[in-house]
Each structure stands twice: as structure tokens, then as C-alpha cells.
Amino acid sequence: MGPTYWWMLFGMALVTYIPRMVPLTFLDGKELPPIVSGVLSNIPYAVLGALIFPAIIFVQEGNILFGIIGVATAFLIAILGGGVMPVVLGTIGVLAIYSFFM
Amino acid sequence: MKNQFIAGLKAGLSIAIGYFPIALTFGLLAKTTGLSLMEATAMSIFVYAGAAQYISLNLISFGVDPVTIVINTFIVNIRHFLMTASLNEKMHRAPKWVKAIYSFGITDESFSVLATGKEEKIPTAYAFGVTIIAYGSWVIFTAAGHVVGANLPEFLQVAMSIALYAMFIGLLVPAMKGNRKVVMLAALAAVIHCIIYIGELLSTGWAILVSTLGSAILIEIIYARRSKNATVMFKEKEES
């Protein structure tokens, strides 16, 4: 790839690190208004919803069934009380069986 | 402090295992895109952002110019502004340089594990534990994927593409149980994102940002108004 690649990598590293670092270091110890901190405490759950849908449905291009089976399996294992690991490995397992026979 | 670090490593283990298939697949794709082992691994070491790395491979294979790739990376990662600002409210206080170090390890997954935990305040050592084990897994399995990924059976490679999302579901569902607000937050963000997606209104990075923020603000307003009404009703009852 050559030196251009390494410059690009440097740029990518920088623009990835800034959004991670700036709020944690520069907001430290600052009291935010209650409505702002209320919104911020909502972020973890909202972002999970936005990260999962709709991307999970289209994870295998042109095969929506794959995504739907994945969603159903993961939710089922999670609702039954499986932790993160059983959910991940169980869903991969079910989809591996599905992909093997398709 | 040592105990907190170990507790963090344990909590981060689920991420490390979840990263195994995702990083492996990244390493494999990087190889097919034409990156050397060193180039692929260096991206995981220095950038360390799953979604952005996958997208960059896609763009590299289309011959997109490096500046555009960097701008794209930034847009995809803007959501971390929200996450770290949110996390800051929950973290123990620590010197700026210490926070600057562990902030490098904040990803969608480590953020979710830290932010959805039961603790009122998160100890710094715990955050280090969670982020270090996840980071280690990401880097090591990127390299492993580059070296051996192509030897994995095809059906397994396909199945592993679900890992990232299964993990998000595994983090979300326990928090949803018995908490209507969490259910509404996730559902509304998902609906907004789907609308943006179907209408092709925004690129993925912006879409995640807008749907997250939109849902978090709207639900907060609804709940703030509701609790205000509740107090008003309570007062009226007392007066009558």
C-alpha cells in the first residue's frame, strides 16, 4: 500500500481518538444541567437500539432471513437469561447450522 | 484497586470473546483487500474502531482517496462524543491524563458494558480492566484472521458476521427487563434509524448519531413532563 496508507492510518487514528478523549477529559468535574445529564444517561440504551436496527437485518446482503433468524435467536437467548457470551456464541451456532444447510 | 481491575477484566471477557469472530473476519477481509499483515494489524492497534475499520476496507477496495476515508472515519465515530460525554457522568474522578489513556479504549461495546452496569460510579481500575482485555482481543485476532482466516469453513465465516449485533442484544435485553424507559429508548432510536435508512436520508454515521440523540431527547422530555404532571396531580389531591 505504501506511505500513503500510513498517513491515512494516522488521520484515521486521530479522528477516532478525539471524540473518545475530549468529553471524558474536558468535561471532568463540570456540573451539567439536569436535563442534559438526563439525556446523556439515556444515550447507552438509545445507541444500542440504533446500532442493532436496521443493520442486523441486512448483515448478509440479499438474505434477510439470515438477519431475522439472528435477531430472533439473540433475543430469545437473552430473554431466557443468557449473558452476553451465551447470546453471541448461541446465535453464531444457530446461524452456522442455518448457513451449513442452505 | 487490584480487585476492581480484575473485575473489569472479567466483565470485559464477554467483549473479548465477542470480538474474536469480528476481528478475525476483519483480518481476513483486510487480506483480501490487499493489506499486509502489518498494515492490517496496525489499523487495529492505532485506530481500534470496528465499524470504521470495516468501512475503510470497503472504501480502499473501491479506490477512494485517503482524505475521504479519514473524513468518513470521523463521521462514523462522531457518536463516541455522545458516549464519552455520557460515560463521564458515571466515572470516578481521575487525573486528566489517566482518563485520556483509558478513553482510547472506549468502543460501542466497552461503553455499553461500562454504562449499563449496576454500579452508581465506575472505578477507574475497572474501566482499565474492561478496555484492556477487549483491546487485546481485537488486535490479536485481527492478526490471526489475516494469517488463518481464509482457512475457516465458509458457513462459519458467514455465521460469524452476526457476532457484533448479537452482542449488542445481549447487552440491551437485561437492561430492558422491568424498565419501560429503556425499552422505549431503544425502540424509538431503532424506529428513527429505520426511517432514515429506508428514506436514504443520511449516511450511516450521521444516522446513528441523529437517531440516538433524537430518541434520548424525546424520551427525556416525555418523562420530565410526566413526572411534573404527577407532582401537580399529587398537590391537587392534597389540596382537595
Side-chain angles (χ1 to χ4, degrees):
Chain A
M1 287 268 144
T4 329
Y5 177 81
W6 295 98
W7 279 112
M8 185 190 75
L9 209 64
F10 176 74
M12 285 176 70
L14 202 67
V15 299
T16 305
Y17 182 56
I18 288 169
R20 285 172 172 162
M21 183 271 285
V22 170
L24 262 175
T25 46
F26 290 93
L27 283 177
D28 191 28
K30 292 206 172 70
E31 280 284 327
L32 295 169
I35 183 85
V36 176
S37 70
V39 169
L40 288 178
S41 66
N42 287 344
I43 299 284
Y45 310 109
V47 81
L48 283 172
L51 285 170
I52 297 166
F53 295 103
I56 192 169
I57 305 293
F58 304 107
V59 69
Q60 283 296 319
E61 230 170 296
N63 188 354
I64 290 179
L65 189 59
F66 180 92
I68 292 171
I69 294 173
V71 174
T73 312
F75 266 98
L76 189 69
I77 299 172
I79 288 167
L80 292 176
V84 176
M85 262 191 275
V87 172
V88 172
L89 298 178
T91 310
I92 291 177
V94 168
L95 287 175
I97 294 167
Y98 167 78
S99 315
F100 186 75
F101 289 107
M102 285 317 279
Chain B
M1 195 167 135
K2 202 179 160 199
N3 285 342
Q4 287 297 348
F5 180 70
I6 289 169
L9 288 179
K10 277 184 187 155
L13 184 65
S14 63
I15 308 178
I17 291 174
Y19 277 176
F20 163 75
I22 308 164
L24 212 65
T25 312
F26 174 76
L28 168 70
L29 286 177
K31 190 180 186 178
T32 51
T33 309
L35 299 193
S36 69
L37 176 61
M38 206 166 85
E39 286 166 341
T41 313
M43 194 189 277
S44 284
I45 291 173
F46 295 113
V47 181
Y48 184 41
Q53 288 182 223
Y54 270 95
I55 293 168
S56 78
L57 284 187
N58 202 1
L59 296 179
I60 290 170
S61 70
F62 284 123
V64 172
D65 73 288
V67 175
T68 308
I69 295 177
V70 171
I71 293 170
N72 235 288
T73 305
F74 182 63
I75 293 170
V76 172
N77 289 326
I78 287 176
R79 66 180 185 282
H80 291 137
F81 269 120
L82 288 180
M83 295 186 191
T84 46
S86 166
L87 195 61
N88 187 49
E89 301 272 293
K90 272 197 99 175
M91 293 305 303
H92 269 195
R93 300 210 54 191
K96 278 191 167 53
W97 64 271
V98 173
K99 295 183 107 182
I101 293 174
Y102 75 71
S103 69
F104 177 79
I106 303 300
T107 59
D108 297 335
E109 297 77 20
S110 61
F111 166 72
S112 299
V113 165
L114 289 170
T116 59
K118 296 267 181 289
E119 311 83 2
E120 199 47 41
K121 282 279 176 185
I122 306 161
T124 304
Y126 183 82
F128 269 101
V130 170
T131 50
I132 283 171
I133 192 168
Y135 180 59
S137 164
W138 183 253
V139 172
I140 289 165
F141 291 118
T142 296
H146 195 281
V147 177
V148 300
N151 297 324
L152 284 174
E154 172 81 21
F155 75 93
L156 206 56
Q157 291 182 31
V158 171
M160 284 181 348
S161 64
I162 204 77
L164 191 74
Y165 303 103
M167 187 169 172
F168 291 144
I169 291 173
L171 288 167
L172 179 61
V173 170
M176 284 169 105
K177 283 184 182 166
N179 192 333
R180 198 130 149 246
K181 194 178 181 183
V182 169
V183 175
M184 283 167 63
L185 280 165
L188 183 60
V191 168
I192 298 173
H193 194 186
C194 288
I195 292 170
I196 295 172
Y197 179 85
I198 293 164
E200 294 178 14
L201 304 173
L202 294 168
S203 65
T204 310
W206 287 109
I208 290 173
L209 189 79
V210 168
S211 35
T212 302
L213 208 53
S215 169
I217 291 173
L218 228 66
I219 299 288
E220 192 58 28
I221 291 171
I222 291 170
Y223 269 75
R225 192 169 285 176
R226 195 181 280 178
S227 65
K228 206 189 250 171
N229 285 346
T231 28
V232 170
M233 270 163 64
F234 184 69
K235 273 185 185 158
E236 279 171 355
K237 231 180 189 176
E238 268 186 339
E239 281 161 9
S240 64

